[in-house]
Amino acid sequence: MTVTDDLVSYEDALASYDPVMGLEVHVELGTRTKMFCGCSTELGAEPNSQVCPTCLGLPGSLPVVNAVGVESAIKIGLALNCEIAQWCRFARKNYFYPDMPKNFQTSQYDEPIAFNGYLDVALEDGEVFRVEIERAHMEEDTGKSTHIGGATGRIHGASHSLLDYNRAGIPLIEIVTKPIEGAGERAPEVARAYVAELRELIRALGVSEARMEMGQMRCDVNLSLRPHGTEKFGTRSETKNVNSLRSVERAARFEIQRHAAVLSGGGTIIQETRHFHEEDGSTTSGRIKEEAEDYRYFPEPDLVPVAPSREWVEELRATLPELPRVRRERLREEWGISDHEMQSVLNAGAIDLIVATVDAGAPADQARKWWMGELARRSNEDGVELAALPITPAQVARVCALVAEGKLNDKLARQVIEGVLAGEGDPDQVVDKRGLAVVSDEGALGAAVDEAIAGNPGIADKIRDGKVAAAGALVGAVMKATRGQADAARVRELILERLGVQG
Amino acid sequence: MADLTRLTAAQTAEAIASGETSAVDVAQAHLDRIDAIDEKVHAFLHVDTEGALAAARAVDAKRAKGEELGPLAGVPLALKDIFTTEGVPTTVGSKILDGWIPPYDATLTRRLKEAGVVILGKTNMDEFAMGSSTENSAFGPTGNPWDLTRIPGGSGGGSSAALASFQAPLAIGTDTGGSIRQPAAVTGTVGVKPTYGAVSRYGMVAFSSSLDQGGPCARTVLDAALLHEAIAGHDPLDSTSVDAPVPAVVEAARNGDVRGLRVGVVKEFGGEGYQDGVMTRFHESVELLRELGAEIVEVSCPSFTYALAAYYLIAPSECSSNLARFDAMRYGLRVGDDGTHSAEEVTALTREAGFGAEVKRRIMLGTYALSSGYYDAYYGSAQKVRTLITRDFERAFGDVDVLVSPTTPTTAFPIGERADDPMAMYLADLCTIPSNLAGNAAMSLPCGLAPEDGLPVGLQIIAPALADDRLYRVGAAVESAFIARWGHPLLEEAPTL
């Protein structure tokens, strides 16, 4: 059965209803080994090459908790302003699925490691919205099923499925918000900003690269509507695996419009999971939850409780880096730019690159000029992330230094950058190989100036008569003669000097 | 040299170390014995002739090079088929693992190999260790060497029968609710459930994780202690393993003494349902302890009344989850994989065909007990009872050093008698279950034959957690006093097979 969903306009939806959201984000930790065994977590290995009795769930095997996983979970909890449990346990979440080797997932249930926190997120215009955190808990990832023979890659219509257990047992932290209320029409934007902020936070903590396109961070968007002025939550839909910032915003927006259409048409929302479609930003019905799934949770008897000492928690708290939002605000002030400009820098993924360039000795405005200008243009053209361009902050800083020293002008500097990107080596090497240094030999420059004066007597006369503006033509001639490698300001000075005119 | 199969493990190791005999000769003698009589007993599911002889040759080679041998080097052992053995089938008494050859050794298996113990093969058991008679094995029952028409106890009936029929001087069992002690009791052998966590569970196929405990089985208290020492100790691969030094069990077994010891008799064990002859031998044992210098104190553990009920909620709950992995996807039996069934259907068909009735019964019980809305009433209440039982023990051990009771209410019953009556079967573990729930240490050792049927009766000794050495100190004293009284070990009275 194909259901074509009716939608009402976003404005109409918001005119009648108030959205309530819940966001569940899974983060794959960047630990070297899996959560409960010593297998590697390296991505891209041959299927089923990073497995052992434990992560394959072989009879007799037992789990052992990865201490780095627990440490990462506590760091995330602390950064989210959560309380850290004095004592908590793992629990088994029981359900059958072939990609889950034990047919239960080792997770946490009513005793999460971290709970009751919040994350302040900044919206585009600088407004700060507080998202309350319900809990963050530890669990393990499942294996990966690949369904063969079906049209859509889904299990429906497939002739057989392939299972890869390399991912089984990779540590996950699931971060669950409390119901997000009061965001109104900005709900989709809040959802996006929250996930973006969380991603920055996870990266700043160094616990995961949180690359959404690699599945290292996955988001479920739960959404319901209630008529304005009412308190009771409506029935929610759960849109699973929304895997980019843009998609999070679109999924929330789509569901608001879809729910509103159903509700205003007198219908009822079915509690169900929904699939998000990148192509058109729509969601479609997944499996309907006729009754709440019964996972028969119980405390994992193969593991002992996790009881992080208060001393350890405080030690970890002391190692927390500056929160991304706070850091951004500090940098924005240091760099002297507006909220809006800072947002552009953030969106371009340029903050850390600029900071590193400044650390390598470049002035902030220069560093920002290159990364947000020439390099941003190249990253767009090439369709790669800024950070993935084959140039380092140190190289950019060197280019800035060469300009400051007067050895390069802007035009030449762009050519140097181009050379570095083309793999011609460090900036100094590119300068040498391409012969790009500014002509600063006063003798050679003087000769070129004399030549230009001699070749353009009419213009020279005008200048002598006080038409200083005419000097531009002679500068142009000198630049042409030196193939652009002269310092234009110095050339102008020399011309005026030679002609006995004050600039 | 006398019949090598009649020696104790300690004697065997000594004879090999002194060069009186070789490990290969000892292994061969036991393999011959298995060959000759196991068709009748059916203690083994798999005999690893090649592996056993290779291990024995390695011990002999080591001795020839003048290297020092461990205290059990060259001693043959029967391994319960619940521990994984690399390259050797492991069935757990179930058809569901049909064709599975484990790619890894259990920690216990590895430790045995490192100690130079010669593993003869894998012994029969109730499927997934669920049962008290070994009748639930998918591969047929095992006979009790005292009377082959009777059960050898369970779930470790293969191990106890192998010992009692002199097919091996040592065996390994696992005890979730009595599966080491009850088989020991009904076959006239010695079995110890160490403190929970004393012996690694890594590679021991799980039935009920919070209750399962591997342990030694032998014909003498000293042999059990030697084996205990070889297999116990912290294992980083088992998070629940005890990270403390192994109690000095061998030293205790060599120095049996109960003088000045306070021995508690649990009031709640006895009365209706207990066979007269069992109680007669038990009372004699208590009298013997008094004669040997122990002080006897009656103690009450009122919560024990609920132990069986709590056990039959906790163990099935955990098993319903532990056994979920048998889904035909990665190993073992696969039924219905003919291109017409979905993965889900293949899993269902395989579990239907691969699990026996008792296993299914417990999976269903456990699934129900853990269900939303029932969890608090069943699993939750059972855990509370477990806490109360632990407190009863703590209170008792505040007054006494060890507790004693009959191991099992009756002697070995005929095969088939309780097969259709699960409740009657469950009662066999009445006295053993509390120790599993509390996680403390307990031993069963022979205390005579019941006058009415001439079958062995077991005396259970219970010690606080981590005080396993007390079991051996008391057990050794009782054992030597009984042997002095009888003029020979009890097993000498067993019929010749």
PDB file of all heavy atoms in Angstrom, chain A residues 308-332:
ATOM      1  N   PRO A 308      31.935   4.736  38.908  1.00  0.00           N
ATOM      2  CA  PRO A 308      33.048   5.687  38.771  1.00  0.00           C
ATOM      3  C   PRO A 308      33.242   6.473  40.062  1.00  0.00           C
ATOM      4  O   PRO A 308      32.286   7.040  40.579  1.00  0.00           O
ATOM      5  CB  PRO A 308      32.606   6.601  37.620  1.00  0.00           C
ATOM      6  CG  PRO A 308      31.144   6.378  37.448  1.00  0.00           C
ATOM      7  CD  PRO A 308      30.785   5.082  38.067  1.00  0.00           C
ATOM      8  N   SER A 309      34.465   6.485  40.567  1.00  0.00           N
ATOM      9  CA  SER A 309      34.720   7.210  41.810  1.00  0.00           C
ATOM     10  C   SER A 309      34.564   8.703  41.549  1.00  0.00           C
ATOM     11  O   SER A 309      34.781   9.184  40.435  1.00  0.00           O
ATOM     12  CB  SER A 309      36.130   6.913  42.317  1.00  0.00           C
ATOM     13  OG  SER A 309      37.078   7.603  41.520  1.00  0.00           O
ATOM     14  N   ARG A 310      34.199   9.434  42.587  1.00  0.00           N
ATOM     15  CA  ARG A 310      34.008  10.881  42.442  1.00  0.00           C
ATOM     16  C   ARG A 310      35.322  11.560  42.066  1.00  0.00           C
ATOM     17  O   ARG A 310      35.354  12.545  41.346  1.00  0.00           O
ATOM     18  CB  ARG A 310      33.453  11.480  43.736  1.00  0.00           C
ATOM     19  CG  ARG A 310      32.036  11.009  44.083  1.00  0.00           C
ATOM     20  CD  ARG A 310      31.014  11.316  42.998  1.00  0.00           C
ATOM     21  NE  ARG A 310      30.771  10.169  42.106  1.00  0.00           N
ATOM     22  CZ  ARG A 310      29.915  10.163  41.090  1.00  0.00           C
ATOM     23  NH1 ARG A 310      29.209  11.234  40.815  1.00  0.00           N
ATOM     24  NH2 ARG A 310      29.763   9.084  40.336  1.00  0.00           N
ATOM     25  N   GLU A 311      36.424  10.986  42.568  1.00  0.00           N
ATOM     26  CA  GLU A 311      37.734  11.562  42.265  1.00  0.00           C
ATOM     27  C   GLU A 311      37.986  11.493  40.758  1.00  0.00           C
ATOM     28  O   GLU A 311      38.443  12.442  40.136  1.00  0.00           O
ATOM     29  CB  GLU A 311      38.856  10.801  42.987  1.00  0.00           C
ATOM     30  CG  GLU A 311      38.852  10.950  44.497  1.00  0.00           C
ATOM     31  CD  GLU A 311      37.723  10.148  45.144  1.00  0.00           C
ATOM     32  OE1 GLU A 311      37.330   9.094  44.583  1.00  0.00           O
ATOM     33  OE2 GLU A 311      37.196  10.563  46.193  1.00  0.00           O
ATOM     34  N   TRP A 312      37.671  10.322  40.200  1.00  0.00           N
ATOM     35  CA  TRP A 312      37.890  10.124  38.760  1.00  0.00           C
ATOM     36  C   TRP A 312      37.020  11.083  37.948  1.00  0.00           C
ATOM     37  O   TRP A 312      37.471  11.728  36.998  1.00  0.00           O
ATOM     38  CB  TRP A 312      37.607   8.661  38.393  1.00  0.00           C
ATOM     39  CG  TRP A 312      37.974   8.303  36.987  1.00  0.00           C
ATOM     40  CD1 TRP A 312      39.062   8.754  36.285  1.00  0.00           C
ATOM     41  CD2 TRP A 312      37.255   7.432  36.104  1.00  0.00           C
ATOM     42  NE1 TRP A 312      39.063   8.208  35.027  1.00  0.00           N
ATOM     43  CE2 TRP A 312      37.980   7.392  34.890  1.00  0.00           C
ATOM     44  CE3 TRP A 312      36.082   6.669  36.229  1.00  0.00           C
ATOM     45  CZ2 TRP A 312      37.556   6.620  33.796  1.00  0.00           C
ATOM     46  CZ3 TRP A 312      35.665   5.893  35.144  1.00  0.00           C
ATOM     47  CH2 TRP A 312      36.398   5.883  33.948  1.00  0.00           C
ATOM     48  N   VAL A 313      35.757  11.185  38.367  1.00  0.00           N
ATOM     49  CA  VAL A 313      34.833  12.072  37.647  1.00  0.00           C
ATOM     50  C   VAL A 313      35.375  13.505  37.676  1.00  0.00           C
ATOM     51  O   VAL A 313      35.365  14.201  36.656  1.00  0.00           O
ATOM     52  CB  VAL A 313      33.417  11.999  38.266  1.00  0.00           C
ATOM     53  CG1 VAL A 313      32.516  13.082  37.692  1.00  0.00           C
ATOM     54  CG2 VAL A 313      32.807  10.611  38.031  1.00  0.00           C
ATOM     55  N   GLU A 314      35.873  13.928  38.851  1.00  0.00           N
ATOM     56  CA  GLU A 314      36.390  15.296  38.946  1.00  0.00           C
ATOM     57  C   GLU A 314      37.659  15.473  38.104  1.00  0.00           C
ATOM     58  O   GLU A 314      37.865  16.512  37.492  1.00  0.00           O
ATOM     59  CB  GLU A 314      36.635  15.688  40.412  1.00  0.00           C
ATOM     60  CG  GLU A 314      35.331  15.885  41.201  1.00  0.00           C
ATOM     61  CD  GLU A 314      34.278  16.699  40.431  1.00  0.00           C
ATOM     62  OE1 GLU A 314      34.605  17.779  39.912  1.00  0.00           O
ATOM     63  OE2 GLU A 314      33.117  16.222  40.312  1.00  0.00           O
ATOM     64  N   GLU A 315      38.484  14.432  38.088  1.00  0.00           N
ATOM     65  CA  GLU A 315      39.679  14.479  37.234  1.00  0.00           C
ATOM     66  C   GLU A 315      39.277  14.681  35.778  1.00  0.00           C
ATOM     67  O   GLU A 315      39.871  15.482  35.060  1.00  0.00           O
ATOM     68  CB  GLU A 315      40.455  13.150  37.325  1.00  0.00           C
ATOM     69  CG  GLU A 315      41.551  13.125  38.358  1.00  0.00           C
ATOM     70  CD  GLU A 315      42.073  11.704  38.528  1.00  0.00           C
ATOM     71  OE1 GLU A 315      42.266  10.999  37.503  1.00  0.00           O
ATOM     72  OE2 GLU A 315      42.263  11.294  39.688  1.00  0.00           O
ATOM     73  N   LEU A 316      38.250  13.940  35.374  1.00  0.00           N
ATOM     74  CA  LEU A 316      37.799  14.056  33.984  1.00  0.00           C
ATOM     75  C   LEU A 316      37.192  15.428  33.732  1.00  0.00           C
ATOM     76  O   LEU A 316      37.416  16.033  32.680  1.00  0.00           O
ATOM     77  CB  LEU A 316      36.786  12.956  33.660  1.00  0.00           C
ATOM     78  CG  LEU A 316      37.361  11.541  33.631  1.00  0.00           C
ATOM     79  CD1 LEU A 316      36.255  10.508  33.392  1.00  0.00           C
ATOM     80  CD2 LEU A 316      38.412  11.407  32.532  1.00  0.00           C
ATOM     81  N   ARG A 317      36.467  15.921  34.708  1.00  0.00           N
ATOM     82  CA  ARG A 317      35.854  17.238  34.546  1.00  0.00           C
ATOM     83  C   ARG A 317      36.955  18.285  34.305  1.00  0.00           C
ATOM     84  O   ARG A 317      36.810  19.175  33.476  1.00  0.00           O
ATOM     85  CB  ARG A 317      35.029  17.590  35.783  1.00  0.00           C
ATOM     86  CG  ARG A 317      34.079  18.775  35.569  1.00  0.00           C
ATOM     87  CD  ARG A 317      33.499  19.322  36.860  1.00  0.00           C
ATOM     88  NE  ARG A 317      32.750  18.358  37.642  1.00  0.00           N
ATOM     89  CZ  ARG A 317      31.473  18.032  37.425  1.00  0.00           C
ATOM     90  NH1 ARG A 317      30.806  18.597  36.448  1.00  0.00           N
ATOM     91  NH2 ARG A 317      30.862  17.153  38.180  1.00  0.00           N
ATOM     92  N   ALA A 318      38.069  18.116  35.028  1.00  0.00           N
ATOM     93  CA  ALA A 318      39.163  19.086  34.911  1.00  0.00           C
ATOM     94  C   ALA A 318      39.822  19.041  33.527  1.00  0.00           C
ATOM     95  O   ALA A 318      40.452  20.010  33.115  1.00  0.00           O
ATOM     96  CB  ALA A 318      40.192  18.813  36.001  1.00  0.00           C
ATOM     97  N   THR A 319      39.671  17.921  32.828  1.00  0.00           N
ATOM     98  CA  THR A 319      40.307  17.819  31.510  1.00  0.00           C
ATOM     99  C   THR A 319      39.391  18.284  30.385  1.00  0.00           C
ATOM    100  O   THR A 319      39.794  18.290  29.225  1.00  0.00           O
ATOM    101  CB  THR A 319      40.690  16.359  31.182  1.00  0.00           C
ATOM    102  OG1 THR A 319      39.480  15.608  31.016  1.00  0.00           O
ATOM    103  CG2 THR A 319      41.547  15.739  32.267  1.00  0.00           C
ATOM    104  N   LEU A 320      38.144  18.656  30.729  1.00  0.00           N
ATOM    105  CA  LEU A 320      37.204  19.016  29.659  1.00  0.00           C
ATOM    106  C   LEU A 320      37.703  20.256  28.909  1.00  0.00           C
ATOM    107  O   LEU A 320      38.140  21.221  29.525  1.00  0.00           O
ATOM    108  CB  LEU A 320      35.827  19.327  30.248  1.00  0.00           C
ATOM    109  CG  LEU A 320      35.018  18.163  30.799  1.00  0.00           C
ATOM    110  CD1 LEU A 320      33.642  18.656  31.199  1.00  0.00           C
ATOM    111  CD2 LEU A 320      34.895  17.036  29.791  1.00  0.00           C
ATOM    112  N   PRO A 321      37.636  20.223  27.605  1.00  0.00           N
ATOM    113  CA  PRO A 321      38.027  21.403  26.844  1.00  0.00           C
ATOM    114  C   PRO A 321      36.942  22.481  26.961  1.00  0.00           C
ATOM    115  O   PRO A 321      35.835  22.212  27.413  1.00  0.00           O
ATOM    116  CB  PRO A 321      38.112  20.884  25.405  1.00  0.00           C
ATOM    117  CG  PRO A 321      37.145  19.751  25.365  1.00  0.00           C
ATOM    118  CD  PRO A 321      37.143  19.132  26.724  1.00  0.00           C
ATOM    119  N   GLU A 322      37.291  23.669  26.542  1.00  0.00           N
ATOM    120  CA  GLU A 322      36.324  24.756  26.494  1.00  0.00           C
ATOM    121  C   GLU A 322      35.152  24.322  25.617  1.00  0.00           C
ATOM    122  O   GLU A 322      35.356  23.721  24.552  1.00  0.00           O
ATOM    123  CB  GLU A 322      37.041  25.948  25.856  1.00  0.00           C
ATOM    124  CG  GLU A 322      36.305  27.247  25.896  1.00  0.00           C
ATOM    125  CD  GLU A 322      37.125  28.341  25.202  1.00  0.00           C
ATOM    126  OE1 GLU A 322      38.097  28.012  24.472  1.00  0.00           O
ATOM    127  OE2 GLU A 322      36.805  29.501  25.380  1.00  0.00           O
ATOM    128  N   LEU A 323      33.941  24.592  26.042  1.00  0.00           N
ATOM    129  CA  LEU A 323      32.783  24.178  25.249  1.00  0.00           C
ATOM    130  C   LEU A 323      32.775  24.919  23.911  1.00  0.00           C
ATOM    131  O   LEU A 323      33.113  26.102  23.860  1.00  0.00           O
ATOM    132  CB  LEU A 323      31.495  24.467  26.003  1.00  0.00           C
ATOM    133  CG  LEU A 323      31.264  23.597  27.232  1.00  0.00           C
ATOM    134  CD1 LEU A 323      29.971  23.985  27.905  1.00  0.00           C
ATOM    135  CD2 LEU A 323      31.242  22.124  26.852  1.00  0.00           C
ATOM    136  N   PRO A 324      32.384  24.260  22.852  1.00  0.00           N
ATOM    137  CA  PRO A 324      32.435  24.876  21.524  1.00  0.00           C
ATOM    138  C   PRO A 324      31.738  26.225  21.440  1.00  0.00           C
ATOM    139  O   PRO A 324      32.248  27.152  20.833  1.00  0.00           O
ATOM    140  CB  PRO A 324      31.753  23.848  20.626  1.00  0.00           C
ATOM    141  CG  PRO A 324      31.959  22.550  21.321  1.00  0.00           C
ATOM    142  CD  PRO A 324      31.960  22.859  22.778  1.00  0.00           C
ATOM    143  N   ARG A 325      30.570  26.335  22.080  1.00  0.00           N
ATOM    144  CA  ARG A 325      29.826  27.588  21.954  1.00  0.00           C
ATOM    145  C   ARG A 325      30.582  28.722  22.649  1.00  0.00           C
ATOM    146  O   ARG A 325      30.673  29.841  22.140  1.00  0.00           O
ATOM    147  CB  ARG A 325      28.429  27.436  22.575  1.00  0.00           C
ATOM    148  CG  ARG A 325      27.456  28.546  22.237  1.00  0.00           C
ATOM    149  CD  ARG A 325      26.113  28.301  22.899  1.00  0.00           C
ATOM    150  NE  ARG A 325      26.251  28.227  24.346  1.00  0.00           N
ATOM    151  CZ  ARG A 325      26.297  29.291  25.142  1.00  0.00           C
ATOM    152  NH1 ARG A 325      26.221  30.501  24.650  1.00  0.00           N
ATOM    153  NH2 ARG A 325      26.431  29.140  26.450  1.00  0.00           N
ATOM    154  N   VAL A 326      31.147  28.411  23.811  1.00  0.00           N
ATOM    155  CA  VAL A 326      31.913  29.403  24.567  1.00  0.00           C
ATOM    156  C   VAL A 326      33.159  29.796  23.783  1.00  0.00           C
ATOM    157  O   VAL A 326      33.513  30.968  23.669  1.00  0.00           O
ATOM    158  CB  VAL A 326      32.302  28.821  25.949  1.00  0.00           C
ATOM    159  CG1 VAL A 326      33.213  29.788  26.698  1.00  0.00           C
ATOM    160  CG2 VAL A 326      31.048  28.491  26.747  1.00  0.00           C
ATOM    161  N   ARG A 327      33.789  28.787  23.224  1.00  0.00           N
ATOM    162  CA  ARG A 327      35.003  29.022  22.451  1.00  0.00           C
ATOM    163  C   ARG A 327      34.694  29.893  21.230  1.00  0.00           C
ATOM    164  O   ARG A 327      35.421  30.842  20.926  1.00  0.00           O
ATOM    165  CB  ARG A 327      35.564  27.669  22.015  1.00  0.00           C
ATOM    166  CG  ARG A 327      36.755  27.738  21.080  1.00  0.00           C
ATOM    167  CD  ARG A 327      37.351  26.336  20.937  1.00  0.00           C
ATOM    168  NE  ARG A 327      38.461  26.297  20.004  1.00  0.00           N
ATOM    169  CZ  ARG A 327      38.391  25.775  18.782  1.00  0.00           C
ATOM    170  NH1 ARG A 327      37.229  25.276  18.342  1.00  0.00           N
ATOM    171  NH2 ARG A 327      39.436  25.739  18.002  1.00  0.00           N
ATOM    172  N   ARG A 328      33.597  29.572  20.567  1.00  0.00           N
ATOM    173  CA  ARG A 328      33.223  30.353  19.377  1.00  0.00           C
ATOM    174  C   ARG A 328      33.008  31.810  19.742  1.00  0.00           C
ATOM    175  O   ARG A 328      33.423  32.716  19.026  1.00  0.00           O
ATOM    176  CB  ARG A 328      31.939  29.790  18.762  1.00  0.00           C
ATOM    177  CG  ARG A 328      32.157  28.578  17.886  1.00  0.00           C
ATOM    178  CD  ARG A 328      31.022  28.404  16.891  1.00  0.00           C
ATOM    179  NE  ARG A 328      29.707  28.373  17.518  1.00  0.00           N
ATOM    180  CZ  ARG A 328      29.170  27.296  18.055  1.00  0.00           C
ATOM    181  NH1 ARG A 328      29.825  26.146  18.054  1.00  0.00           N
ATOM    182  NH2 ARG A 328      27.976  27.333  18.604  1.00  0.00           N
ATOM    183  N   GLU A 329      32.350  32.026  20.892  1.00  0.00           N
ATOM    184  CA  GLU A 329      32.074  33.391  21.314  1.00  0.00           C
ATOM    185  C   GLU A 329      33.389  34.133  21.610  1.00  0.00           C
ATOM    186  O   GLU A 329      33.573  35.294  21.230  1.00  0.00           O
ATOM    187  CB  GLU A 329      31.169  33.349  22.558  1.00  0.00           C
ATOM    188  CG  GLU A 329      30.603  34.687  22.985  1.00  0.00           C
ATOM    189  CD  GLU A 329      29.940  35.461  21.839  1.00  0.00           C
ATOM    190  OE1 GLU A 329      29.397  34.830  20.906  1.00  0.00           O
ATOM    191  OE2 GLU A 329      29.992  36.708  21.874  1.00  0.00           O
ATOM    192  N   ARG A 330      34.324  33.418  22.239  1.00  0.00           N
ATOM    193  CA  ARG A 330      35.622  34.024  22.549  1.00  0.00           C
ATOM    194  C   ARG A 330      36.361  34.379  21.254  1.00  0.00           C
ATOM    195  O   ARG A 330      36.864  35.490  21.087  1.00  0.00           O
ATOM    196  CB  ARG A 330      36.460  33.033  23.379  1.00  0.00           C
ATOM    197  CG  ARG A 330      37.883  33.498  23.639  1.00  0.00           C
ATOM    198  CD  ARG A 330      38.639  32.562  24.573  1.00  0.00           C
ATOM    199  NE  ARG A 330      38.769  31.194  24.072  1.00  0.00           N
ATOM    200  CZ  ARG A 330      39.640  30.800  23.128  1.00  0.00           C
ATOM    201  NH1 ARG A 330      40.436  31.688  22.564  1.00  0.00           N
ATOM    202  NH2 ARG A 330      39.703  29.532  22.743  1.00  0.00           N
ATOM    203  N   LEU A 331      36.383  33.435  20.327  1.00  0.00           N
ATOM    204  CA  LEU A 331      37.092  33.668  19.065  1.00  0.00           C
ATOM    205  C   LEU A 331      36.451  34.803  18.273  1.00  0.00           C
ATOM    206  O   LEU A 331      37.127  35.637  17.687  1.00  0.00           O
ATOM    207  CB  LEU A 331      37.114  32.383  18.227  1.00  0.00           C
ATOM    208  CG  LEU A 331      37.965  31.245  18.801  1.00  0.00           C
ATOM    209  CD1 LEU A 331      37.750  29.960  18.009  1.00  0.00           C
ATOM    210  CD2 LEU A 331      39.450  31.630  18.789  1.00  0.00           C
ATOM    211  N   ARG A 332      35.112  34.812  18.312  1.00  0.00           N
ATOM    212  CA  ARG A 332      34.397  35.850  17.562  1.00  0.00           C
ATOM    213  C   ARG A 332      34.853  37.232  18.046  1.00  0.00           C
ATOM    214  O   ARG A 332      35.115  38.130  17.260  1.00  0.00           O
ATOM    215  CB  ARG A 332      32.884  35.683  17.761  1.00  0.00           C
ATOM    216  CG  ARG A 332      32.037  36.527  16.821  1.00  0.00           C
ATOM    217  CD  ARG A 332      30.564  36.484  17.201  1.00  0.00           C
ATOM    218  NE  ARG A 332      30.306  37.095  18.501  1.00  0.00           N
ATOM    219  CZ  ARG A 332      30.333  38.400  18.734  1.00  0.00           C
ATOM    220  NH1 ARG A 332      30.576  39.238  17.748  1.00  0.00           N
ATOM    221  NH2 ARG A 332      30.109  38.872  19.936  1.00  0.00           N
TER     222      ARG A 332
END
